[in-house]
Amino acid sequence: MAENVGNTRKWLFIGIGVAVFLVVGIIAVGLVFSGDGDDDDDGDNGDNGDNNGAEEIVITEGELTVTGAWMRAVIVGDAPVTVPEDRELDADEAPGEGMSDMGMGGSNAAVYLVIANGTEADDSLVAASVSAEIATEAQLHDSVMVGDERQMQQQDAIPVPAGEVVELKERSLHVMLMNVQQDLNTDETITLTLTFESGTTLDIPVQVVPLGTEPTQ
Amino acid sequence: MTRRWNVSGLLLVGLLVLSLGLAACSDEDGDDSVAASDPTAAAPAPGTVFDPPREMGDFTLTAHTGEPLSLSDLQGQVVVLYFGYTYCPDVCPVSLALLNAAYNQLTPEVQEQVQVVFVSVDGTRDTPERLGMVIPAFNPDFLGVTGPEETVRGIGEPYGVAFYRRFPENASPENYLVFHTSQFFVLGQQGEWRAVYPDDVSAAYLAEQITAQVEARTST
Ligand SMILES: [Cu+2]
């Protein structure tokens, strides 16, 4: 009998515990959702404004749209960077070209954007380009974790299925400008040309934001 | 969006742990299986704090000012080390931007006791002048240091830092990439290694962790 009372008390306490658990849980979940959308403007320093506002992206029916393209500033500098042949390449540094001792050391830079496919057909981003004065080439990349290292892997295409939104964002898919030729300063805009498998070609403005712009999580 | 999730998520986990704790405490038989059997309660905080901290060697490289800089010159400050290179297209700018955002969230008193140091893994292209153009553009208080790649390799090794060159297709040979470990290393006032964080933590969380290290050393 005494044991029974003990057990009852035990279960009562557990019951109370579970009830508290549920109540606080529900309140917490409520907080999570009520917190949504009211504090977008917290970053004074390097605020990238609506450039990362993927939540506002609307799919336009019948259209393939690209919005919110941005990149961080690029400092190329004016002095050509000489690359001396100062060391032998390690075996894993394939494909084994030697270091050239002339030419610019290239600055590469990532462009982020949002593609919304409002059409009824699957599509793919297959190429990107910028004017030769800006960079020698634009490649499609993905950034993946290999152990503790983030590695960039070139992509032949970035699929954009019908009715879906694909975000090119930090630490993920991006367009990489290879060998940027000139400084790209905050508040400048460059034009990026995107080519899709369907034949659609879009010229989109890319806004340059400060280097210190806080990353999106 | 996700930043809000992080904060609220932490709160949620905290409250769940608290309520589980209540349930476990009220269990007279001392049977703690209630708390132990809930795997969701233990969402781990990112990163690793070493207790005790690990003794690390000193090193000397060239700062972006052109002056030699030794880790021991920064004694008395909490040092945040990041290994990267200025021609890095994606990873390093994002990490430096994150460090800038975290640094800006520190109080001025804490900022005075913190030094962020960017260690170049690309001494060939990252001259002190080049670092001087780029690193202060992220934050004028940050220091960039550079030196021969083999020296930096030796410095990074005890931290588990590895790096090697890669040549993207169609890129000119001097336009190589350097794949490298991307983590934030937090060192204490004697240069001892206190913590390591992945590069995708939130700025707020990193600021909190750095502040905790500054305060830990102030109180001892
Ligand atoms: Cu890339």
Side-chain angles (χ1 to χ4, degrees):
Chain A
M1 187 63 199
E3 200 184 45
N4 256 346
V5 170
N7 262 343
T8 310
R9 284 191 58 197
K10 173 179 168 181
W11 285 110
L12 184 65
F13 276 119
I14 292 174
I16 291 170
V18 169
V20 171
F21 175 96
L22 286 175
V23 168
V24 232
I26 288 163
I27 293 171
V29 168
L31 284 176
V32 167
F33 286 105
S34 68
D36 192 8
D38 56 3
D39 57 352
D40 250 349
D41 48 0
D42 50 348
D44 321 322
N45 188 297
D47 185 12
N48 58 0
D50 52 6
N51 294 304
N52 53 3
E55 341 173 22
E56 296 136 36
I57 296 307
V58 185
I59 300 183
T60 312
E61 210 167 312
E63 268 185 63
L64 182 71
T65 55
V66 175
T67 48
W70 66 282
M71 65 185 295
R72 289 195 169 80
V74 181
I75 301 172
V76 174
D78 41 20
V81 178
T82 307
V83 182
E85 299 186 50
D86 64 337
R87 54 183 277 267
E88 293 296 307
L89 290 175
D90 294 342
D92 65 351
E93 293 178 325
E97 289 110 314
M99 295 290 98
S100 153
D101 62 352
M102 50 195 208
M104 300 282 287
S107 277
N108 303 322
V111 177
Y112 311 106
L113 47 85
V114 181
I115 308 168
N117 185 355
T119 72
E120 278 165 18
D122 292 348
D123 209 338
S124 280
L125 175 60
V126 291
S129 64
V130 289
S131 79
E133 295 92 74
I134 291 182
T136 51
E137 200 193 348
Q139 296 179 351
L140 308 179
H141 278 199
D142 196 4
S143 187
V144 294
M145 280 308 276
V146 178
D148 292 334
E149 292 171 43
R150 254 173 227 291
Q151 297 193 353
M152 275 191 292
Q153 296 175 352
Q154 195 170 351
Q155 311 287 303
D156 292 333
I158 297 175
V160 191
E164 287 192 23
V165 171
V166 173
E167 266 187 274
L168 275 61
K169 57 185 183 186
E170 291 153 304
R171 309 181 183 103
S172 174
L173 294 165
H174 56 275
V175 174
M176 184 139 96
L177 306 186
M178 307 298 295
N179 217 347
V180 176
Q181 300 290 302
Q182 57 177 65
D183 284 5
L184 299 176
N185 301 309
T186 303
D187 294 335
E188 277 179 33
T189 301
I190 64 162
T191 300
L192 177 70
T193 304
L194 299 177
T195 307
F196 292 85
E197 202 176 21
S198 59
T200 307
T201 300
L202 298 173
D203 284 338
I204 56 147
V206 179
Q207 215 206 325
V208 181
V209 306
L211 274 174
T213 299
E214 182 171 355
T216 47
Q217 281 297 302
Chain B
M1 177 70 193
T2 28
R3 206 176 326 143
R4 286 189 291 277
W5 267 102
N6 279 348
V7 174
S8 313
L10 276 178
L11 187 65
L12 175 69
V13 169
L15 288 170
L16 293 187
V17 168
L18 186 71
S19 51
L20 277 173
L22 285 176
C25 290
S26 61
D27 186 344
E28 306 180 296
D29 295 350
D31 171 7
D32 58 358
S33 63
V34 176
S37 65
D38 188 333
T40 61
T48 306
V49 176
F50 302 120
D51 190 16
R54 302 185 181 177
E55 291 310 317
M56 304 301 280
D58 194 12
F59 61 79
T60 305
L61 289 167
T62 307
H64 72 255
T65 54
E67 301 291 313
L69 183 96
S70 301
L71 183 60
S72 53
D73 296 340
L74 303 173
Q75 246 181 42
Q77 285 184 296
V78 165
V79 174
V80 183
L81 286 184
Y82 182 80
F83 291 77
Y85 65 113
T86 67
Y87 289 97
C88 180
D90 181 31
V91 180
C92 310
V94 174
S95 296
L96 279 163
L98 178 71
L99 284 168
N100 173 56
Y103 189 82
N104 286 335
Q105 287 178 29
L106 302 175
T107 64
E109 298 74 48
V110 172
Q111 276 183 359
E112 265 173 44
Q113 301 178 65
V114 172
Q115 180 62 59
V116 175
V117 180
F118 178 90
V119 184
S120 175
V121 295
D122 185 16
T124 305
R125 290 181 298 187
D126 280 341
T127 58
E129 300 76 45
R130 169 74 190 170
L131 287 179
M133 279 196 296
V134 176
I135 303 305
F138 281 93
N139 189 303
D141 289 347
F142 290 3
L143 273 174
V145 297
T146 188
E149 277 153 54
E150 291 321 305
T151 307
V152 173
R153 205 177 288 285
I155 293 166
E157 218 159 46
Y159 295 94
V161 170
F163 57 90
Y164 52 93
R165 290 182 186 181
R166 275 277 178 258
F167 299 87
E169 241 178 281
N170 305 328
S172 51
E174 69 274 8
N175 193 10
Y176 54 87
L177 297 171
V178 186
F179 287 170
H180 60 88
T181 309
S182 184
Q183 291 178 320
F184 303 118
F185 304 102
V186 178
L187 318 192
Q189 77 179 125
Q190 301 303 325
E192 76 281 11
W193 183 14
R194 290 186 164 269
V196 56
Y197 301 97
D199 66 0
D200 58 355
V201 294
S202 72
Y205 174 77
L206 190 59
E208 219 171 78
Q209 296 290 309
I210 292 170
T211 301
Q213 289 299 347
V214 168
E215 281 167 358
R217 80 144 183 106
T218 320
S219 62
T220 46

